[in-house]
Amino acid sequence: MTTNLLEPEIISSTPVAAMMALVYRTSGKGTGKAVWESKPRPTIQHPADAIVRITTTTICGTDLHILKGDLPAVTDGRILGHEGIGVVEQVGSGVTEFHVGDKVIISCVTSCTKCDFCRKGMPGHCRTGGWILGYMIDGTQAEHVRIPHADGSLYHFPEGGDEESLVMLSDILCTGFECGVLNGRVKPGDAVAIVGAGPVGLAVLLTAQFYSPAVLCVIDLDDNRLAVAKQLGATHTINSADGRAAQRVMDLTGGAGVDVAIEAVGMPVTFDICQAILTPGGHLANVGVHGVPVTLHLERLWDRNMSLTTRLVDTVTLPLLLKIVEAGRLQPEKLVTHHFPMGEILKAYDTFGNAARESALKVVLTNP
Amino acid sequence: MTTNLLEPEIISSTPVAAMMALVYRTSGKGTGKAVWESKPRPTIQHPADAIVRITTTTICGTDLHILKGDLPAVTDGRILGHEGIGVVEQVGSGVTEFHVGDKVIISCVTSCTKCDFCRKGMPGHCRTGGWILGYMIDGTQAEHVRIPHADGSLYHFPEGGDEESLVMLSDILCTGFECGVLNGRVKPGDAVAIVGAGPVGLAVLLTAQFYSPAVLCVIDLDDNRLAVAKQLGATHTINSADGRAAQRVMDLTGGAGVDVAIEAVGMPVTFDICQAILTPGGHLANVGVHGVPVTLHLERLWDRNMSLTTRLVDTVTLPLLLKIVEAGRLQPEKLVTHHFPMGEILKAYDTFGNAARESALKVVLTNP
Amino acid sequence: MTTNLLEPEIISSTPVAAMMALVYRTSGKGTGKAVWESKPRPTIQHPADAIVRITTTTICGTDLHILKGDLPAVTDGRILGHEGIGVVEQVGSGVTEFHVGDKVIISCVTSCTKCDFCRKGMPGHCRTGGWILGYMIDGTQAEHVRIPHADGSLYHFPEGGDEESLVMLSDILCTGFECGVLNGRVKPGDAVAIVGAGPVGLAVLLTAQFYSPAVLCVIDLDDNRLAVAKQLGATHTINSADGRAAQRVMDLTGGAGVDVAIEAVGMPVTFDICQAILTPGGHLANVGVHGVPVTLHLERLWDRNMSLTTRLVDTVTLPLLLKIVEAGRLQPEKLVTHHFPMGEILKAYDTFGNAARESALKVVLTNP
Amino acid sequence: MTTNLLEPEIISSTPVAAMMALVYRTSGKGTGKAVWESKPRPTIQHPADAIVRITTTTICGTDLHILKGDLPAVTDGRILGHEGIGVVEQVGSGVTEFHVGDKVIISCVTSCTKCDFCRKGMPGHCRTGGWILGYMIDGTQAEHVRIPHADGSLYHFPEGGDEESLVMLSDILCTGFECGVLNGRVKPGDAVAIVGAGPVGLAVLLTAQFYSPAVLCVIDLDDNRLAVAKQLGATHTINSADGRAAQRVMDLTGGAGVDVAIEAVGMPVTFDICQAILTPGGHLANVGVHGVPVTLHLERLWDRNMSLTTRLVDTVTLPLLLKIVEAGRLQPEKLVTHHFPMGEILKAYDTFGNAARESALKVVLTNP
């Protein structure tokens, strides 16, 4: 009864031109590799589609997972990437909010705006969308991309905006804010611990400050990232290499524990830190992508009035974040450490894939 | 800096009289037994204390756990019981809300009303109270009981009220409502599953109906209890003996899963059912007391926008529940299956301890 | 930048056939009259449009206001009506959720689902929709109607549903529930007063019961409507003819006042009752359409911790109400007192326009 | 059934010593005057009382209202003042949280912590407390003060704290935060307008920044105060002298209006600005004390999805504000413009009473 985005009927017949794109190629034994190759330019396939010429994109940790073979639903030939800024080149007949020439921020989440989940503010679970870009359909690490449900999945780029900064709204800042800060119900005066100082953990750190917590403690194994966290507003940092992170958090909160613990890694050991440091009534907001189950210590937690939340990013807060950037209260570009022209994307992957060695956070690719 | 209730200085010296009480006696190898024996009558020990003559009490599953030795903090000689109705016999000089002769409902939670947790609406975690009756201090399965922080721990019994009905407000209805229904955020039209049809699960069932869910499915192993659930308002019941309960819930919700799953048992197997049946955006409210950890399937749930909550009952909703009982919209006495005079409390323990055999839910003891 | 629904470019050229419709005709001096006349059948004008053949419709108090000339934006020749059930006859190329032959409930609110207000759950303020049916564009009191933004403005009619019952979801039950019950934050155990026992006040009364208030007092001048209120669940009724309604509410709440006062009339005198009866911390939810300002007694209320809310219905709760109807916990047909074939709509207007004389609540028109 | 604080039975007989105090003396025709005179030192009268030696106090706009005769409940001989820092000199037998020698912040709200309102988080409406200091009972502009319900009405002064800064927590910062910011539901990215740049309006301004609004516009008639507002974080200021403030707010929000309008004056004209500038879905939080009714334009607002709130300060956020001050994210001393020794309090009243002439905000009195 709903549109099947994966097997579209072709309703447009623009002559097919070529473009360069970062393509996932299976390498045999379950893993894959990234190839910068020529692909046909995308065309309008549904009335709600738009074609966007990419001017800025970036690489996400999820892209690395795909290359490692962790997401087997990704098929050979898929163009990767779910973040981007660009210019609308073509729109379907049903698109009402965007026109050719509009500069746009692309959400990593495709939203039909009509289904039950979209109407509940959960487009991450959209019946015909959700996270599909660079995963189930071709993505943004290319010169052009087709955006289904364009009216629900694009946002107008503000006049005078900075592309490098605003491409951080495609995914990572929304992820940190929605899954971490909002789900964790961070409030003024709170003690907050963030486990993981990668780009997502740092996005949590930046957006948690909207609510003026009293303590903002960041925990990681990498001293360089902890130093960055300190610059970005952490009141305390803890290197968890010695296995005593939980104890240190209890100490710095006078034995009380934290009001909010945010898991931004996705491993049992980091989840364990979070469940060990909650004050009664505290919130554990999971942001990390987990590959294996965790042990939940309900024998200790059953009476602790805790809440634990999970969430797939919905990017419903993108307009709000945009307002805060425009008001000068958030500088997303602080997450960007490296820049490359889009043609050097393989070099960018190498840098991002060796983040500790390169002191890399987000790498930005431009195609002006 | 705060009062230590466990080693009170004696500030009253009323001559000590005797009374009968149900006393926990250690039997040697880690377990205990219940003895109906003579004990000194309690006396005022702090200005905030009241002495209450018990007229109605009941037995909780937790009392059975104590006898099995599951709560080793309970010491030999402790009077059990944390639920009751009675009449105030004596008050300390600091008690302002109650007077001698007042008929009262005793909360299972002792609340100082002053500490940070009490002020946050979490008296279950009161710094000098919480659940201590029949656990850390002598309880209500006796002819008289000392209630510390009386102003915060007693409630006026309404004129014309029914003791058998209202003693259910001491603990079980508050537990079901607060830990299950409120934490689970049950709302009109929801699909709700309750795992466990013991007294607590049935208390969830009764109070969930305040919010008019569309589906109220109760899951248990005992067909008798499921039949009771049906009478008390369950729209569906499922006997989970065949291990297919989760699948059946998915089937009856058309594959969508439930908005709210409420765990009212406290075992990994019942927790597993709950985590298997949540719709995206759903709430898992844990009510059960767990003795061992559970496996949380974050590898499946990390992107499901779930919330999971735990809570120790606070009884902060007791006045609200009282209003609903008085308005005729809740009949707590439906949870009561057996009655005994207080002197036959050992027989009552036997009945309650063999609930399946006796088709017992709550057993009520009276001492008119 | 957004579609202008009022001056559409014609993109379809279906041959124009005729149909009968209830048309607003200006009668000269500011007022109007209803005429049952032949009009061209509507056609698809935008890709998001659908054409629906009306099988059931009803008349709203707002329609009477239009005829009295209270809404001067309504132009001569406008087809009235914003409630209805029907069958989809034709869909634009951008419609994905509905197909020809689908039976649908028509929302009184047209929602593009894309604009900022729609995404905030406020489609009543939709940038290109909101309440426009039978007001700014032709409505549902006709054999056929064009529904713009069909995917956001139609709902699938459930198999086995009753049209007379479900047409109450087009507007009135959503209005009572959203503007009255949800905005008033009715909760279990509350004392609630509803001022006005017309169809909207009774819709508040029916849906307030989803939350199990302890007191549900309905106030009106018409004893017949108060008798109906009693049948529909009011715990108390008050005829306000003697000007002592506020005092009576205070008396029946023991001087405390109500937790929630819901204004369902739209006049200063009824608003005054509401502001006089609130307990500290209470909520005043305005549902009525007001034509003149009211006096707000902030000199008494500034320290009362009150909230006062207003709202245009959004019908975002229509799916939820549908689930509750299907679960048998709401019988909207209780609001229906009279039935007419659509061809006798002028007689229906006469009945509805003389509601007190005819003991009329909602009148239903069918066109099977 | 509850303690009457106004006619206490004397249960202590400490020998009565003298002290100096600022006393309200009626001057005949409805108004009064402030006299610095000798009064008996207060003594413990209930088990829950404490006697505090005042080291810092301040003057509130309400004190000026009392002197003008606006609060006729204040009787001749009453010691004024409801804000203060001091040291506990004596405690009643029921006081458990404070001891002789403890340094404390005095809340302007006396809270029994036991009554229904206190338990709902509304101690401003406490059955035997609320705002009574310097109003119904003797206050803090004196060398010593009796604090009823001491455990609920005092807060521990943090080690290393600054008295001048923290005396702002007794009333004004809580008032601005609770009645303005929390009731207005200020959230990240919001456009917020504050009407009134007196001490309370500026307290709103300081605490609104906890939530990172994008626009923080302050409106007043006094350019000096607007300049202070700019220093304290206002993004825009508007002098409303020309009667065009509402229009200017609409202009600076691009015609949209503000998400939150906060009334911090208490007059019809300032309330009017607030109701004219709300965006659909916006919140109007009233903080000002009103002496006369206002006109509420429901004929324009009935469909605007607005909320309007009122509140008497509860000071329940005092601990949270204290944490934020300690974390260095709030500098309450920015509200202090003048200092006097307590003996010069009449000079302080003169300065505060001529705030515009003296460029005065809060004046602090010390008695080290």
Side-chain angles (χ1 to χ4, degrees):
Chain A
M1 192 169 305
T2 49
T3 309
N4 184 337
L5 293 172
L6 307 180
E7 298 179 64
E9 84 190 272
I10 292 184
I11 63 173
S12 148
S13 59
T14 314
V16 174
M19 66 170 185
M20 293 302 290
L22 195 283
V23 177
Y24 172 79
R25 290 295 174 193
T26 50
S27 62
K29 22 180 186 149
T31 67
K33 61 177 175 180
V35 179
W36 182 244
E37 65 178 54
S38 179
K39 291 276 280 184
R41 284 175 57 171
T43 56
I44 297 288
Q45 302 190 12
H46 291 281
D49 286 353
I51 304 300
V52 175
R53 183 174 67 80
I54 296 293
T55 54
T56 298
T57 185
T58 179
I59 306 172
C60 180
T62 309
D63 298 323
L64 301 182
H65 278 292
I66 291 173
L67 293 176
K68 282 184 200 144
D70 292 350
L71 290 93
V74 181
T75 52
D76 185 77
R78 175 67 63 235
I79 300 173
L80 299 187
H82 50 267
E83 298 157 282
I85 306 288
V87 177
V88 174
E89 289 186 314
Q90 200 182 349
V91 294
S93 63
V95 175
T96 58
E97 309 298 308
F98 296 92
H99 298 87
V100 171
D102 285 353
K103 193 163 181 175
V104 292
I105 305 171
I106 300 167
S107 166
C108 66
V109 165
T110 299
S111 168
C112 78
T113 74
K114 304 167 179 177
C115 73
D116 52 344
F117 284 120
C118 282
R119 296 217 207 174
K120 279 181 198 167
M122 291 170 60
H125 289 265
C126 173
R127 299 277 177 188
T128 58
W131 174 43
I132 55 173
L133 277 181
Y135 175 40
M136 306 305 287
I137 65 172
D138 285 339
T140 58
Q141 291 168 3
E143 293 178 304
H144 306 268
V145 66
R146 179 178 71 92
I147 302 295
H149 300 315
D151 283 335
S153 313
L154 298 176
Y155 292 85
H156 289 285
F157 190 93
E159 212 174 323
D162 173 54
E163 294 198 17
E164 165 180 324
S165 177
L166 295 182
V167 75
M168 298 296 124
L169 300 191
S170 282
D171 174 349
I172 193 166
L173 279 166
C174 294
T175 297
F177 186 53
E178 296 175 3
C179 308
V181 177
L182 291 183
N183 264 13
R185 300 191 226 166
V186 175
K187 60 181 188 310
D190 270 359
V192 178
I194 301 167
V195 182
V200 170
L202 295 175
V204 173
L205 174 62
L206 287 177
T207 55
Q209 295 172 65
F210 298 164
Y211 293 95
S212 309
V215 171
L216 249 178
C217 176
V218 175
I219 299 160
D220 201 290
L221 288 165
D222 180 335
D223 280 328
N224 173 53
R225 289 189 160 183
L226 291 174
V228 174
K230 202 87 188 188
Q231 286 165 5
L232 298 188
T235 60
H236 304 74
T237 57
I238 294 174
N239 189 311
S240 53
D242 64 0
R244 300 192 57 250
Q247 187 53 50
R248 288 179 204 278
V249 173
M250 295 311 286
D251 290 348
L252 80 86
T253 55
V258 296
D259 300 290
V260 186
I262 300 177
E263 209 285 346
V265 179
M267 290 167 55
V269 65
T270 45
F271 184 83
D272 276 349
I273 295 173
C274 291
Q275 67 178 319
I277 61 178
L278 281 186
T279 198
H283 306 296
L284 195 174
N286 186 79
V287 186
V289 178
H290 290 256
V292 295
V294 300
T295 298
L296 180 68
H297 289 288
L298 276 188
E299 83 284 8
R300 282 194 281 108
L301 295 169
W302 72 268
D303 66 351
R304 297 283 282 182
N305 298 34
M306 77 174 296
S307 81
L308 182 160
T309 55
T310 68
R311 184 169 178 180
L312 188 61
V313 65
D314 291 299
T315 71
V316 288
T317 61
L318 199 155
L320 180 157
L321 292 170
L322 196 49
K323 283 196 286 184
I324 299 177
V325 172
E326 291 191 82
R329 292 178 184 267
L330 174 66
Q331 286 84 33
E333 64 275 15
K334 289 183 177 171
L335 297 175
V336 179
T337 53
H338 294 74
H339 303 78
F340 298 88
M342 197 190 274
E344 295 180 23
I345 190 167
L346 293 177
K347 199 181 293 180
Y349 260 90
D350 180 67
T351 299
F352 186 66
N354 293 281
R357 185 190 72 196
E358 303 284 343
S359 297
L361 294 169
K362 291 292 278 186
V363 304
V364 164
L365 297 144
T366 49
N367 183 39
Chain B
M1 196 168 304
T2 50
T3 308
N4 185 338
L5 293 170
L6 307 181
E7 298 179 64
E9 83 190 271
I10 293 186
I11 62 173
S12 148
S13 59
T14 315
V16 174
M19 67 171 183
M20 293 303 289
L22 194 283
V23 177
Y24 172 79
R25 291 295 175 194
T26 50
S27 63
K29 33 200 170 133
T31 67
K33 61 178 175 178
V35 181
W36 181 245
E37 64 176 56
S38 178
K39 292 277 281 185
R41 285 175 56 169
T43 56
I44 296 288
Q45 301 189 13
H46 290 281
D49 286 354
I51 304 299
V52 176
R53 185 174 66 80
I54 296 293
T55 54
T56 298
T57 186
T58 179
I59 305 173
C60 180
T62 310
D63 298 323
L64 300 183
H65 279 291
I66 291 173
L67 293 176
K68 281 183 201 144
D70 291 349
L71 290 92
V74 180
T75 52
D76 184 77
R78 175 68 63 233
I79 300 173
L80 298 187
H82 50 266
E83 297 157 282
I85 306 288
V87 177
V88 174
E89 289 186 315
Q90 200 183 347
V91 293
S93 62
V95 175
T96 57
E97 309 298 308
F98 296 92
H99 298 89
V100 171
D102 285 354
K103 194 164 180 174
V104 292
I105 305 171
I106 299 167
S107 166
C108 65
V109 165
T110 298
S111 168
C112 77
T113 74
K114 303 168 180 177
C115 73
D116 53 344
F117 284 119
C118 282
R119 296 216 206 175
K120 280 182 197 167
M122 291 171 60
H125 289 265
C126 173
R127 300 275 177 189
T128 59
W131 174 42
I132 54 173
L133 277 181
Y135 175 41
M136 306 304 287
I137 65 171
D138 284 338
T140 59
Q141 291 168 3
E143 293 178 305
H144 306 267
V145 65
R146 177 178 74 92
I147 302 295
H149 300 314
D151 284 335
S153 313
L154 298 176
Y155 291 84
H156 288 284
F157 189 94
E159 212 174 323
D162 173 53
E163 294 198 16
E164 166 180 325
S165 176
L166 296 182
V167 75
M168 298 295 125
L169 299 191
S170 283
D171 174 349
I172 192 167
L173 280 167
C174 294
T175 296
F177 186 53
E178 296 175 2
C179 307
V181 177
L182 291 183
N183 264 13
R185 300 192 227 164
V186 175
K187 61 182 187 310
D190 270 358
V192 178
I194 301 167
V195 182
V200 170
L202 296 175
V204 173
L205 174 62
L206 287 176
T207 55
Q209 294 172 67
F210 298 165
Y211 292 94
S212 308
V215 170
L216 250 178
C217 176
V218 176
I219 299 160
D220 201 291
L221 289 164
D222 180 335
D223 281 329
N224 172 54
R225 289 189 160 182
L226 291 174
V228 173
K230 202 89 189 186
Q231 286 165 6
L232 298 188
T235 60
H236 303 74
T237 57
I238 293 174
N239 189 311
S240 52
D242 64 0
R244 300 192 58 250
Q247 187 54 50
R248 288 178 204 278
V249 172
M250 295 311 286
D251 290 348
L252 81 85
T253 55
V258 295
D259 300 290
V260 186
I262 300 177
E263 209 285 347
V265 178
M267 289 168 56
V269 65
T270 46
F271 183 85
D272 277 349
I273 295 173
C274 291
Q275 66 179 319
I277 61 178
L278 280 187
T279 199
H283 306 296
L284 195 174
N286 186 78
V287 186
V289 178
H290 290 257
V292 296
V294 301
T295 298
L296 180 67
H297 289 288
L298 276 188
E299 83 283 8
R300 281 194 282 108
L301 295 169
W302 72 268
D303 67 350
R304 296 283 282 180
N305 298 34
M306 77 174 296
S307 80
L308 182 160
T309 55
T310 68
R311 184 168 178 181
L312 188 63
V313 66
D314 292 300
T315 71
V316 288
T317 61
L318 199 155
L320 180 157
L321 291 170
L322 196 50
K323 282 196 286 184
I324 300 177
V325 171
E326 290 190 83
R329 291 177 185 265
L330 174 66
Q331 286 83 32
E333 64 275 15
K334 289 183 176 171
L335 297 175
V336 179
T337 53
H338 293 75
H339 303 79
F340 297 90
M342 196 188 275
E344 294 180 23
I345 190 167
L346 293 177
K347 199 181 295 180
Y349 260 89
D350 181 68
T351 299
F352 187 67
N354 293 281
R357 183 190 74 198
E358 304 284 343
S359 297
L361 293 169
K362 291 292 279 186
V363 305
V364 162
L365 297 144
T366 49
N367 183 40
Chain C
M1 194 169 305
T2 50
T3 307
N4 185 338
L5 293 172
L6 307 180
E7 299 179 63
E9 85 191 88
I10 293 188
I11 62 170
S12 148
S13 60
T14 315
V16 174
M19 66 170 184
M20 294 302 290
L22 194 282
V23 177
Y24 172 79
R25 290 293 175 195
T26 51
S27 63
K29 25 184 184 143
T31 67
K33 61 177 175 178
V35 181
W36 182 244
E37 65 178 55
S38 178
K39 292 275 282 183
R41 284 176 55 170
T43 55
I44 296 287
Q45 301 189 11
H46 290 280
D49 286 355
I51 305 298
V52 176
R53 184 173 67 80
I54 295 294
T55 54
T56 299
T57 186
T58 179
I59 306 172
C60 180
T62 309
D63 298 323
L64 301 182
H65 279 291
I66 291 173
L67 294 176
K68 281 183 201 146
D70 292 350
L71 290 93
V74 180
T75 53
D76 185 78
R78 174 68 62 235
I79 299 173
L80 300 187
H82 51 266
E83 298 157 282
I85 307 287
V87 178
V88 174
E89 289 186 315
Q90 200 182 349
V91 293
S93 62
V95 175
T96 57
E97 310 297 308
F98 296 92
H99 298 89
V100 171
D102 285 354
K103 192 164 182 175
V104 292
I105 305 171
I106 299 167
S107 166
C108 65
V109 165
T110 299
S111 168
C112 77
T113 73
K114 303 168 179 177
C115 73
D116 53 344
F117 285 120
C118 283
R119 295 217 207 175
K120 279 181 197 168
M122 291 171 60
H125 289 264
C126 174
R127 300 276 176 187
T128 58
W131 174 43
I132 54 173
L133 277 180
Y135 174 42
M136 306 305 288
I137 64 172
D138 285 338
T140 58
Q141 292 168 4
E143 292 178 306
H144 306 268
V145 65
R146 178 179 71 93
I147 301 294
H149 300 315
D151 284 335
S153 312
L154 299 176
Y155 291 86
H156 288 284
F157 190 92
E159 212 173 325
D162 173 53
E163 294 198 17
E164 165 180 325
S165 176
L166 295 182
V167 75
M168 298 296 124
L169 300 191
S170 283
D171 174 348
I172 192 168
L173 279 167
C174 293
T175 296
F177 186 53
E178 295 175 3
C179 308
V181 177
L182 291 184
N183 264 12
R185 299 191 228 167
V186 175
K187 61 182 189 309
D190 270 359
V192 177
I194 301 167
V195 181
V200 171
L202 295 175
V204 173
L205 174 63
L206 286 177
T207 56
Q209 295 172 66
F210 298 164
Y211 292 95
S212 309
V215 170
L216 249 178
C217 177
V218 176
I219 299 161
D220 201 290
L221 289 165
D222 180 335
D223 280 330
N224 173 53
R225 289 189 160 184
L226 291 174
V228 173
K230 201 89 188 186
Q231 285 165 7
L232 298 189
T235 60
H236 303 74
T237 57
I238 293 175
N239 189 312
S240 53
D242 63 1
R244 300 191 58 251
Q247 186 54 51
R248 288 179 204 279
V249 172
M250 296 311 286
D251 290 349
L252 81 84
T253 55
V258 295
D259 301 290
V260 186
I262 301 176
E263 210 284 347
V265 178
M267 291 167 56
V269 64
T270 45
F271 184 83
D272 277 349
I273 295 173
C274 291
Q275 66 178 317
I277 61 178
L278 279 187
T279 199
H283 306 296
L284 195 175
N286 186 79
V287 186
V289 178
H290 290 257
V292 295
V294 300
T295 298
L296 181 67
H297 289 288
L298 276 188
E299 83 283 8
R300 281 193 283 107
L301 295 169
W302 72 268
D303 67 350
R304 296 284 280 180
N305 299 35
M306 77 174 297
S307 81
L308 182 160
T309 55
T310 68
R311 184 170 177 179
L312 187 63
V313 66
D314 293 300
T315 70
V316 287
T317 61
L318 199 156
L320 179 158
L321 291 170
L322 196 50
K323 282 195 287 184
I324 299 177
V325 172
E326 291 192 82
R329 292 178 185 265
L330 173 66
Q331 286 84 33
E333 64 275 15
K334 289 183 177 172
L335 298 175
V336 179
T337 53
H338 294 73
H339 303 78
F340 298 90
M342 196 189 275
E344 295 181 21
I345 191 167
L346 293 177
K347 198 181 295 179
Y349 261 89
D350 181 68
T351 299
F352 187 66
N354 293 280
R357 185 191 72 197
E358 304 284 344
S359 296
L361 294 169
K362 291 292 277 185
V363 305
V364 163
L365 297 143
T366 50
N367 183 40
Chain D
M1 194 170 303
T2 49
T3 308
N4 185 337
L5 293 172
L6 307 181
E7 299 180 61
E9 83 189 272
I10 293 186
I11 63 172
S12 149
S13 58
T14 314
V16 174
M19 68 170 181
M20 293 303 289
L22 194 282
V23 177
Y24 172 79
R25 290 295 174 193
T26 52
S27 61
K29 18 173 194 154
T31 67
K33 61 177 175 178
V35 181
W36 182 245
E37 64 177 56
S38 178
K39 292 276 281 184
R41 285 175 54 169
T43 56
I44 296 288
Q45 300 189 13
H46 289 281
D49 287 354
I51 305 299
V52 175
R53 183 173 68 79
I54 296 293
T55 54
T56 298
T57 187
T58 179
I59 306 172
C60 181
T62 309
D63 298 322
L64 301 182
H65 279 291
I66 291 173
L67 293 176
K68 283 182 200 146
D70 292 349
L71 290 93
V74 180
T75 52
D76 184 79
R78 175 68 63 231
I79 300 173
L80 300 187
H82 50 266
E83 296 157 282
I85 306 288
V87 177
V88 174
E89 290 186 314
Q90 201 181 348
V91 293
S93 63
V95 175
T96 57
E97 309 297 308
F98 296 91
H99 298 88
V100 171
D102 285 354
K103 193 163 182 176
V104 291
I105 305 171
I106 299 167
S107 166
C108 66
V109 164
T110 299
S111 167
C112 78
T113 74
K114 303 168 179 178
C115 73
D116 52 345
F117 285 120
C118 283
R119 295 216 209 177
K120 281 182 197 167
M122 292 171 60
H125 290 265
C126 173
R127 299 278 177 188
T128 58
W131 174 43
I132 54 173
L133 276 181
Y135 175 41
M136 307 304 288
I137 65 172
D138 285 338
T140 58
Q141 292 169 3
E143 293 178 305
H144 305 269
V145 65
R146 179 179 72 93
I147 302 295
H149 300 313
D151 284 335
S153 313
L154 299 176
Y155 291 84
H156 288 285
F157 190 92
E159 211 173 326
D162 173 54
E163 294 198 17
E164 166 181 324
S165 176
L166 295 181
V167 76
M168 298 295 125
L169 299 191
S170 282
D171 174 348
I172 192 167
L173 279 166
C174 294
T175 296
F177 186 53
E178 296 175 3
C179 307
V181 176
L182 291 183
N183 264 13
R185 300 191 228 165
V186 175
K187 60 182 188 311
D190 270 359
V192 177
I194 301 166
V195 182
V200 170
L202 296 175
V204 173
L205 174 63
L206 287 177
T207 55
Q209 294 172 65
F210 299 164
Y211 292 94
S212 308
V215 171
L216 249 178
C217 176
V218 175
I219 299 161
D220 201 290
L221 290 165
D222 179 336
D223 280 329
N224 173 53
R225 288 189 162 184
L226 291 175
V228 174
K230 202 87 187 187
Q231 285 165 7
L232 297 188
T235 59
H236 304 73
T237 57
I238 293 174
N239 189 312
S240 53
D242 64 0
R244 300 191 59 250
Q247 186 54 51
R248 289 178 202 279
V249 172
M250 296 310 286
D251 290 349
L252 82 85
T253 56
V258 295
D259 300 290
V260 185
I262 301 177
E263 210 285 345
V265 179
M267 291 167 56
V269 65
T270 45
F271 184 83
D272 276 350
I273 295 173
C274 292
Q275 66 178 317
I277 60 178
L278 280 187
T279 199
H283 306 296
L284 195 175
N286 185 77
V287 186
V289 178
H290 290 257
V292 296
V294 300
T295 298
L296 180 68
H297 289 287
L298 276 189
E299 84 283 9
R300 282 192 282 108
L301 296 169
W302 72 268
D303 66 351
R304 296 283 282 180
N305 298 34
M306 77 174 296
S307 80
L308 182 160
T309 55
T310 68
R311 184 169 178 179
L312 188 63
V313 65
D314 292 300
T315 71
V316 288
T317 60
L318 200 156
L320 179 158
L321 291 171
L322 197 48
K323 280 195 287 183
I324 300 177
V325 172
E326 291 191 83
R329 291 176 185 268
L330 173 66
Q331 286 82 34
E333 64 277 13
K334 290 183 177 172
L335 297 176
V336 179
T337 53
H338 293 74
H339 303 79
F340 297 90
M342 196 188 274
E344 294 180 23
I345 191 167
L346 294 177
K347 198 180 296 180
Y349 260 90
D350 181 67
T351 299
F352 187 67
N354 293 282
R357 184 190 73 198
E358 304 284 343
S359 296
L361 293 169
K362 290 293 278 186
V363 305
V364 163
L365 298 143
T366 49
N367 183 40

